[in-house]
Amino acid sequence: MYQRILLATDGSELSQKAAASAIELAALCGAELVAVTVVPRYPQSYFEGSVALPAEEMIAVEKQWENQGQALVDAVKKAAADKGVTAKSITLKSDVVSDSLITAANKHQCDLIVMASHGRKGIQRLLLGSETQHVLTHTGIPVLVIR
């Protein structure tokens, strides 16, 4: 059915549930898993929410975020291996999560995207938007949303 499944993870409880589901589905289908997390870049200006830091400290903060992201996807890769599923772990750096996920899914020729829905409602959803909703509306690849 599916040959390669992209799993979007951010380490939240709901995305851990999505990871477990993606691993089980990959095992059932004999599919490869591509675990992806997207880490932000450090804000560069006051208007982006930045606190003025020397360049070397900004680099250190970004590296820490990248290491934490890599640890997340490496844990998914290990959990997949424990279930007999071949997996890749990828950490991307971007401020636009949904576009990065879509690009990664296309680049790695994934035929399914699995991701969590964080269930924002009301004004919070209006103001913050939904990465899941953006992926759903901007890709031609099937998306499995875990709630």
Side-chain angles (χ1 to χ4, degrees):
M1 180 175 219
Y2 298 110
Q3 302 299 312
R4 192 167 294 121
I5 299 170
L6 183 134
L7 165 69
T9 185
D10 63 7
S12 66
E13 186 176 328
L14 195 52
S15 77
Q16 289 174 2
K17 184 178 174 183
S21 296
I23 291 168
E24 290 296 324
L25 182 59
L28 287 171
C29 296
E32 179 182 1
L33 188 69
V34 179
V36 178
T37 192
V38 181
V39 295
R41 63 177 181 78
Y42 191 84
Q44 299 295 313
S45 74
Y46 173 79
F47 297 107
E48 292 178 319
S50 174
V51 173
L53 290 178
E56 59 275 356
E57 287 185 41
M58 286 191 322
I59 291 168
V61 168
E62 285 183 345
K63 185 66 175 165
Q64 180 183 1
W65 292 343
E66 198 172 326
N67 290 341
Q68 290 170 338
Q70 191 62 46
L72 284 175
V73 290
D74 285 346
V76 171
K77 183 178 178 179
K78 183 186 179 319
D82 291 346
K83 296 281 188 174
V85 173
T86 302
K88 294 179 185 178
S89 58
I90 300 169
T91 300
L92 302 172
K93 188 189 267 188
S94 175
D95 290 327
V96 186
V97 174
S98 54
D99 288 347
S100 297
L101 294 174
I102 293 167
T103 299
N106 289 325
K107 177 181 178 183
H108 294 280
Q109 300 174 337
C110 297
D111 47 10
L112 178 68
I113 298 171
V114 176
M115 61 191 308
S117 167
H118 288 287
R120 292 185 183 113
K121 294 181 180 176
I123 193 72
Q124 190 177 28
R125 181 173 182 206
L126 180 65
L127 294 175
L128 297 176
S130 168
E131 298 298 339
T132 305
Q133 186 67 32
H134 192 270
V135 170
L136 282 166
T137 57
H138 289 87
T139 186
I141 299 169
V143 180
L144 174 60
V145 179
I146 305 297
R147 300 190 80 185

